Amino acid sequence: MFKKIIWPLIVTSASILSILFLYGFIASITVSRGEEEPVSSEDQTEPVQEFTDELPVAEVSDILVMGDSLGAGVGDEENRGFGERYRDLLTEADGEERTLANMSVPGYEAPQLLEQIESGEFDSAIASTELIIISIGGNDLNRLQIEDELTISLEFEETLSTYIGNLEASIEAVRALNPEAQLALIGLYNPYRQENPELSRFLMEWNFETQLLASGDDRITHIPTYELFQYHLDDYLSFDQFHPNGAGYQAIAEALDRILN
Amino acid sequence: MIALIRNEIQKILLKKKMLLILFLLLIFVTLFSYGQNYAYERTIEQFEAETSETAFDWRVPAGQRLDDLERRRSNESIPDEVRASFDREIQQLNYFIDNDINPITPTAFKFNAEFAEQGIVLFIPLLVVILAADLVSGEFSKKTIKILLTRAVPRWKILLSKYLALLMMTTILVFIVAVLSTLVSFLFFRELGASEPVVTGFSVFEGQLVSDSTVLVSRLQYSVFIYSLVWFVSIIIASITLLISVTVDSSSSAIGILMASLIGGQFLQFFLAEWELVQYFFVTNLDLTRYLTGSYQPVEGMSLTFSILTLAVWGGLSLIFSFIIFNRKDVLV
Amino acid sequence: MASSVLKVSNLTKRIKKTQIIHDVSFDIKEGEILGFLGPNGSGKTTTLRMVVGLIRPTSGDIQICGHALKEEYINAMSNVGCIIEGPDLYGYMSGYKNLELLGSMSKDVTKKDIDEAVSLVGMENRIHDKVDVYSMGMKQRIGLAQALIHKPRLLILDEPTNGLDPQGIHEFREIVKKLAEEKGISVLISSHLISEVQLMCDRVSIINKGRIIKNASIEDMLSTGEVIWTLDDPGKGQRILEETFEITSTIDQRGLSANLDISRLPDINKAFFDAGLRISLVDNKKQTLEDLFLSLTHEEKI
C-alpha cells in the first residue's frame, strides 16, 4: 500500500508542487521588483487608492486648489469638491464667472506638496491666481498609528514639526511666485466616531499650529473644519467613512465663503 | 538514498503528525471563514441601518470611482505609466461591474490568500514546526537513533534523507493549506472568484506607495504567488527547525524553543521596531506576502529582496550547522 | 590462526576535561565470544559505542574485518550488527515494518533475509503486531533480528539481557551461542552480570574506570595454578615433584598441593603413575569469576 500507492503519489505531487511554487516564487519576486523602501500602509482593498499622478492644470485661473484627496474632492458624489462648490457659491452671489484649477493629488503629504510647488511646473498657475486653497496634513497625521502613549507623542511631535516646516516652506515658495494672492488653509476634522481624547488633542494641536502659521500673514486664512464636522459625521462623511461627501464639501465651501468674504 | 527518503516519509506518516495538522487546519479555517462571512453580513446590515437605504448598492461608489479615473486618464498631460496604472484599476472595476460582483464580497480565493497572509508569520510556521520538530530529536528521545546510526550509512546521508523528506511533506502541507482553505471557505461563501482580477506589485518609494509597477493578475494567479511565498517561508522554518531538532535531544524542548522564538520574535518586532538589528532576525522577515499587497511597515529599509535574502541566509546557515552538529554528535542516549 | 574480526587499539575518549577511556586495546577472532565485564560506569558502554560509531574516539584505532572505522565507515559498519542498551525500536510500527525499514538501509537485504532473521528469533507469530504492544522479551528478539538482517560478521551486544526474565535470558543466550557456533559470527557482549559472561563467553575482558585490567580466556582467568593431589603416599609424590620437576609442594589434610603451570600436569601425573602412586583425585582449584571480579574492582570507590 505505502510502497505502491502513497509513496509514488507523494513523490510526484511534491515534485510538481515544488516546480509550481518555485515558479510562483520567482514570479512574485519579479512582480514586486523596483521597490526601495516600504513604509506606507495601504491595502489595495481599501475603497480609495492613492496615486501619484498630476492633475490637469489650467495655465491661468482665478482659484487654485492644491493639496491632497480633500482638495481633489474624493468622496463627493458629484465630483465637485469644495473648490468647484466654492466657485459656484461666488458665482451665485455676484454672477461673475471664475476659472478654477486643481492640482491636488490624493495621498499627498506636506513634503510632496512642497516638492510639487518647487518643481516649477506650476509656477505660472501659481503666479497668476488670485486665491490659493490648500488642503494638506491629513495624510501626514493619519500615517501615525497609535501603539502606546509614549512613542505616539514623540512621533506626533516629529510629524507635526515636519509638517509645519514643509508648509512654511511651501507658503514661502508660493509667496515668492505670487506675493498678492489670498491663501486659505483647510483645517483638519476628525472622521472617527469613537471618542479618542488623544486623537482630539492631536488634531487640535495640529490645527492650532497651522493657525499660528497662518496668523503671521494677514493674507493667509485658516479655515476650521473641526467643529463643522464634529456633530455631523453621519451627514458629512462619504461611503468610505473618511472623506467628506457632497454635503461635507458643501459645508467646507460655505465656510470658505463665510470667512474669506 | 531514495530508500532512505522513503523510510523517513513513512515514519512521518505513521507518526500521524499530518492528521493532527489537518485537524488543526480544519478547525482554524472553518472558524475564520465562518467569522468572515459573519463580519461581511454584519457590515452590510450596519450600512443599511446607518444609511437607512433600502439596500446597500456598491455600484454607486464604484461607478463614481470609475468616472473619476476615466476623466483623469483622458487627460493628455499625465505620464504613460500613471495612465497604465489607471487602466489597471479601470479594468478591475469594470470586471466587477460587468460580472456584477461586489468587490467586498468574500470569495474562496480571496479567503485563501487572506488566510495565508494572516498565517504566514505564526500559524503556518507552527504547523511546520509540529511536522519537523521531532524529526531528529524524536529519534533521540525514543533512542531509536542508535539503530539508525549503526547502519552502514554515513550520517550526512541520514540527515539529508530526513531533510528531503521534510521538504516534500512541507511542500504538500502548503498545498493542503491552500486547498483546504479554498474548499472550506467555498462552502461558506459559495463564491470561488478564481478569475477575479487583483492588483499587485505595489512598491513603495521614499515612504510613498507607488502603483506604477502594479500588474493586474487573476485571483488564482495571485494565490499561487502568495502560496509560493508561504512555501519559501515554510522551507526556511523547516531548515531552522531541523537545526534545533539536531541540537536538542527532546522533541518537546525543540517545539518549545521554536514556539518561543516565533512568538518572541513578534514581540521583538513590535516593541523594538527602531532597533536596526531586529530586521536581521528571521521572524521579522516572515511576512513576505505583505510586500505583494503593498502594505508593509515593520522596520524601515526592508524590502522583499532583503527579506528573502535574510531568510535564505538563516536557512542556509541552519542547514550547514545541522550537518556539522549531526556529524560530530556523540550519541549518549 | 583465525583473523581478527574486530581489532581495537589504544582507544581513548575524553569528554571535556575528563578522560573516561584510557588506552583500551583488544581484539576478537572469528567465531569468538568476548565478554566485556565491568561495574556500571566503568566505560563498557562508551567503548562499545565507539566501536559502532555512535561516539567518536578522541584517539585510537578501530578496525572491523580489516576496515578502519574512521576511513571506511561503510565497509566497516556493513559487517556490524548491534544492540546498544536495550532494543529501541519504532514503537508506532510493526516489528516487521521495523525490520523492513532498517533492512532497506543496508545493501542487498531481501525479504528472505528478513524472514530468516524472524524465524531465527522465533517471532513469526507476532511479527505484524505493533512494537508498542510487545513484551520486553519480544522486543529483545526483534532487536536481535534487526542486528542480524544484513548478515554481519560481528555482533555487538551492550547489556542485552537487561530487563529480561530468567527464561528470556536463557533463550537469548542460546540464540547467541548458536549464532557463534553455526554461522561463525563473532560476538562482543558487555555485561555487569558475571554469571552471564561466564556462561556465554570464550574470553573475558574486565574493564574498570576506563581501563582494561584483565584480558584472558575464561579458563586461564579462573585458574589459580594450584593443583591438589589425593595420593596414597603424599610424601613420595612430594619427592618426585621436587626431584623430577623442581616444584616445591606442601602436604596438608587436603593432600599434596603445589602451584604450577597447568600444562605440565599430564607429565607429572604420568610420573606419579610410573612411580606406582595411586591417584584417587586431582583437583585444579579454581576461584570464581566473582571473586576475581571483586578483587580486581572493589578497592576504589567510584
Side-chain angles (χ1 to χ4, degrees):
Chain A
M1 168 73 175
F2 175 78
K3 256 189 193 172
K4 287 210 178 92
I5 303 166
I6 301 175
W7 164 245
L9 199 72
I10 285 179
V11 174
T12 357
S13 54
S15 358
I16 293 172
L17 288 171
S18 300
I19 292 167
L20 175 73
F21 285 145
L22 207 61
Y23 152 76
F25 182 61
I26 292 164
S28 20
I29 295 175
T30 327
V31 159
S32 45
R33 190 166 282 162
E35 70 202 78
E36 307 288 320
E37 286 177 5
V39 172
S40 164
S41 67
E42 195 70 22
D43 202 283
Q44 92 277 10
T45 51
E46 270 179 33
V48 176
Q49 295 200 347
E50 297 181 335
F51 289 95
T52 49
D53 55 338
E54 269 106 53
L55 285 172
V57 175
E59 279 299 293
V60 179
S61 62
D62 300 322
I63 304 170
L64 177 63
V65 181
M66 305 179 82
D68 51 23
S69 53
L70 248 69
V74 171
D76 190 342
E77 297 88 345
E78 294 164 53
N79 252 321
R80 291 163 66 208
F82 59 73
E84 271 184 51
R85 286 171 190 273
Y86 173 60
R87 182 191 61 184
D88 294 353
L89 281 176
L90 288 180
T91 309
E92 258 173 54
D94 58 15
E96 220 175 291
E97 290 286 334
R98 286 172 181 80
T99 51
L100 172 80
N102 196 334
M103 41 191 270
S104 306
V105 179
Y108 257 22
E109 295 176 15
Q112 289 159 311
L113 176 68
L114 179 59
E115 240 171 74
Q116 190 190 33
I117 294 169
E118 285 179 338
S119 70
E121 278 178 56
F122 307 95
D123 283 2
S124 57
I126 295 170
S128 62
T129 196
E130 285 172 14
L131 168 65
I132 300 173
I133 309 172
I134 298 174
S135 162
I136 198 74
N139 294 310
D140 301 61
L141 182 61
N142 204 38
R143 200 150 59 89
L144 282 181
Q145 278 175 353
I146 294 172
E147 278 171 8
D148 66 276
E149 292 201 0
L150 190 67
T151 55
I152 190 75
S153 294
L154 287 173
E155 265 178 64
F156 171 75
E157 294 302 334
E158 214 181 290
T159 313
L160 179 57
S161 69
T162 312
Y163 159 77
I164 290 291
N166 277 292
L167 186 60
E168 214 166 356
S170 299
I171 291 171
E172 264 169 40
V174 167
R175 275 280 172 257
L177 292 165
N178 188 341
E180 292 305 311
Q182 172 74 41
L183 261 65
L185 304 175
I186 307 289
L188 298 187
Y189 61 88
N190 184 0
Y192 302 110
R193 278 164 215 280
Q194 287 111 322
E195 276 300 315
N196 184 339
E198 193 74 0
L199 185 65
S200 305
R201 188 173 71 76
F202 286 165
L203 272 167
M204 285 184 180
E205 201 177 330
W206 191 276
N207 284 331
F208 176 72
E209 290 290 333
T210 314
Q211 222 167 339
L212 218 57
L213 190 68
S215 65
D217 181 337
D218 59 2
R219 295 198 58 76
I220 303 178
T221 317
H222 179 256
I223 311 293
T225 58
Y226 188 90
E227 294 81 1
L228 216 55
F229 275 70
Q230 197 168 16
Y231 301 110
H232 300 91
L233 284 181
D234 287 344
D235 304 330
Y236 286 174
L237 282 192
S238 71
F239 167 68
D240 64 23
Q241 300 294 315
F242 187 78
H243 293 97
N245 58 10
Y249 282 117
Q250 189 66 33
I252 297 175
E254 278 163 13
L256 272 164
D257 189 38
R258 202 169 53 242
I259 294 164
L260 289 178
N261 305 307
Chain B
M1 192 67 204
I2 288 170
L4 292 181
I5 301 174
R6 196 178 56 210
N7 288 348
E8 293 303 330
I9 295 262
Q10 199 168 10
K11 282 187 212 165
I12 294 174
L13 290 181
L14 283 171
K15 269 187 277 187
K16 310 230 159 69
K17 278 280 162 59
M18 281 311 252
L19 282 182
L20 172 70
I21 290 171
L22 282 183
F23 181 68
L24 279 177
L25 252 180
L26 209 59
I27 290 179
F28 273 85
V29 168
T30 313
L31 277 177
F32 281 150
S33 36
Y34 174 79
Q36 215 174 47
N37 205 26
Y38 178 79
Y40 169 68
E41 278 163 9
R42 277 290 301 274
T43 314
I44 301 284
E45 266 170 39
Q46 205 174 359
F47 188 86
E48 282 170 3
E50 257 171 37
T51 56
S52 64
E53 278 170 29
T54 41
F56 163 68
D57 190 6
W58 59 272
R59 283 181 203 78
V60 176
Q64 190 188 330
R65 176 81 186 146
L66 197 61
D67 289 346
D68 181 44
L69 284 169
E70 264 163 8
R71 188 171 53 82
R72 285 204 219 168
R73 83 168 290 280
S74 58
N75 189 289
E76 278 166 20
S77 64
I78 62 164
D80 281 346
E81 63 268 21
V82 177
R83 184 171 298 126
S85 87
F86 285 172
D87 283 345
R88 282 186 291 273
E89 208 194 335
I90 290 170
Q91 219 179 320
Q92 194 184 11
L93 279 168
N94 271 330
Y95 176 90
F96 289 128
I97 293 169
D98 292 347
N99 292 288
D100 198 23
I101 297 166
N102 179 351
I104 67 163
T105 315
T107 66
F109 267 85
K110 219 186 267 181
F111 178 82
N112 76 22
E114 230 163 87
F115 188 73
E117 282 159 20
Q118 298 299 320
I120 195 168
V121 280
L122 197 61
F123 184 63
I124 296 170
L126 224 56
L127 296 183
V128 176
V129 168
I130 293 178
L131 190 69
D134 69 342
L135 200 67
V136 178
S137 60
E139 303 260 9
F140 273 93
S141 51
K142 293 265 183 246
K143 301 185 176 183
T144 44
I145 190 76
K146 292 182 298 188
I147 51 173
L148 199 62
L149 290 188
T150 51
R151 303 280 133 188
V153 179
R155 287 192 185 187
W156 66 266
K157 260 192 182 178
I158 289 176
L159 192 63
L160 186 63
S161 67
K162 277 183 175 295
Y163 183 61
L164 290 178
L166 176 63
L167 288 193
M168 286 164 70
M169 292 316 283
T170 307
T171 305
I172 292 173
L173 172 69
V174 172
F175 181 65
I176 290 174
V177 174
V179 170
L180 215 60
S181 57
T182 312
L183 285 183
V184 172
S185 60
F186 179 71
L187 292 181
F188 279 99
F189 306 148
R190 299 279 164 197
E191 198 79 63
L192 206 56
S195 52
E196 227 172 73
V198 57
V199 179
T200 185
F202 290 88
S203 50
V204 176
F205 186 71
E206 285 174 0
Q208 191 61 34
L209 192 77
V210 183
S211 46
D212 297 355
S213 59
T214 53
V215 286
L216 205 59
V217 295
S218 73
R219 273 278 167 199
L220 176 69
Q221 232 173 326
Y222 185 66
S223 290
V224 171
F225 287 172
I226 295 277
Y227 277 93
S228 301
L229 294 178
V230 171
W231 175 70
F232 177 77
V233 164
S234 304
I235 283 180
I236 299 301
I237 295 290
S239 312
I240 295 169
T241 311
L242 184 78
L243 174 64
I244 305 293
S245 188
V246 165
T247 317
V248 301
D249 284 353
S250 94
S251 320
S252 42
S253 32
I255 292 183
I257 289 171
L258 282 151
M259 292 228 323
S261 40
L262 279 175
I263 296 166
Q266 306 291 335
F267 276 113
L268 206 65
Q269 179 183 339
F270 191 73
F271 289 120
L272 298 174
E274 303 285 308
W275 190 28
E276 245 179 68
L277 270 182
V278 170
Q279 60 180 317
Y280 297 107
F281 189 50
F282 75 92
V283 179
T284 325
N285 288 291
L286 290 180
D287 208 353
L288 294 182
T289 55
R290 287 275 178 275
Y291 295 116
L292 273 191
T293 58
S295 55
Y296 206 54
Q297 47 160 1
V299 179
E300 236 171 281
M302 288 170 67
S303 68
L304 180 64
T305 330
F306 172 84
S307 286
I308 285 177
L309 283 179
T310 311
L311 288 178
V313 168
W314 273 86
L317 287 180
S318 300
L319 270 190
I320 292 169
F321 281 117
S322 304
F323 277 92
I324 292 174
I325 292 172
F326 191 68
N327 246 340
R328 304 183 58 96
K329 191 162 186 164
D330 284 342
V331 180
L332 300 169
V333 290
Chain C
M1 189 187 138
S3 60
S4 282
V5 170
L6 172 67
K7 190 169 168 57
V8 172
S9 27
N10 309 104
L11 205 59
T12 60
K13 174 70 184 175
R14 199 190 293 273
I15 291 183
K16 283 176 192 135
K17 285 272 161 70
T18 336
Q19 184 148 11
I20 47 174
I21 301 295
H22 303 262
D23 203 23
V24 164
S25 305
F26 60 93
D27 64 349
I28 300 177
K29 312 250 177 306
E30 207 172 318
E32 190 179 35
I33 303 181
L34 175 68
F36 235 52
L37 196 58
N40 290 331
S42 58
K44 294 183 306 250
T45 294
T46 310
T47 309
L48 258 53
R49 280 174 187 237
M50 286 197 275
V51 172
V52 296
L54 288 177
I55 296 181
R56 313 168 134 244
T58 307
S59 69
D61 193 41
I62 297 162
Q63 290 215 335
I64 298 166
C65 297
H67 303 289
L69 189 69
K70 230 183 288 173
E71 283 85 27
E72 301 173 79
Y73 182 80
I74 298 181
N75 286 334
M77 284 309 287
S78 55
N79 289 307
V80 180
C82 62
I83 306 175
I84 302 292
E85 276 189 11
D88 296 302
L89 301 157
Y90 297 104
Y92 48 84
M93 297 184 202
S94 71
Y96 193 79
K97 264 256 133 61
N98 267 286
L99 295 181
E100 217 175 40
L101 198 136
L102 293 167
S104 71
M105 297 180 71
S106 308
K107 268 189 202 134
D108 313 321
V109 174
T110 60
K111 213 174 157 333
K112 199 170 142 263
D113 295 328
I114 297 175
D115 292 337
E116 252 177 45
V118 171
S119 69
L120 182 80
V121 296
M123 277 292 292
E124 294 96 328
N125 293 331
R126 300 283 307 273
I127 193 69
H128 290 291
D129 290 357
K130 262 197 183 168
V131 169
D132 274 340
V133 302
Y134 284 172
S135 70
M136 190 65 196
M138 290 200 266
K139 281 185 193 166
Q140 191 60 272
R141 288 167 187 229
I142 300 290
L144 191 57
Q146 67 78 24
L148 292 171
I149 36 174
H150 53 292
K151 304 210 168 73
R153 290 172 62 194
L154 173 64
L155 199 56
I156 292 174
L157 308 169
D158 185 18
E159 304 276 2
T161 53
N162 266 6
L164 290 187
D165 56 20
Q167 174 72 14
I169 293 177
H170 178 77
E171 280 172 4
F172 189 80
R173 197 158 56 217
E174 291 311 307
I175 294 173
V176 172
K177 272 186 162 171
K178 202 169 88 181
L179 282 170
E181 276 162 26
E182 291 175 6
K183 306 209 166 170
I185 296 179
S186 312
V187 183
L188 172 58
I189 186 163
S190 91
S191 182
H192 62 278
L193 296 175
I194 295 147
S195 60
E196 186 173 288
V197 170
Q198 197 165 2
L199 284 167
M200 270 170 105
C201 303
D202 305 321
R203 277 202 303 141
V204 182
S205 285
I206 295 178
I207 185 166
N208 193 26
K209 301 205 171 141
R211 286 191 175 81
I212 289 192
I213 44 180
K214 203 154 173 85
N215 188 353
S217 76
I218 291 268
E219 275 306 306
D220 290 350
M221 197 169 281
L222 297 184
S223 164
T224 54
E226 189 183 23
V227 179
I228 301 164
W229 289 268
T230 312
L231 301 170
D232 51 354
D233 184 355
K236 193 174 175 193
Q238 191 172 31
R239 275 196 308 280
I240 294 171
L241 280 177
E242 187 110 27
E243 287 158 14
T244 322
F245 299 97
E246 293 172 341
I247 292 170
T248 49
S249 54
T250 51
I251 298 171
D252 56 24
Q253 73 277 8
R254 294 178 301 171
L256 176 67
S257 55
N259 279 313
L260 49 85
D261 186 348
I262 306 291
S263 61
R264 300 173 76 183
L265 197 57
D267 291 336
I268 298 170
N269 283 345
K270 188 170 184 298
F272 283 172
F273 186 74
D274 291 343
L277 282 168
R278 294 167 67 93
I279 307 169
S280 44
L281 187 68
V282 184
D283 187 17
N284 177 7
K285 192 190 170 220
K286 288 181 183 174
Q287 59 181 343
T288 63
L289 193 53
E290 189 162 353
D291 293 335
L292 177 70
F293 181 66
L294 290 177
S295 71
L296 286 170
T297 60
H298 87 286
E299 294 125 24
E300 293 158 78
K301 297 273 184 300
I302 297 163

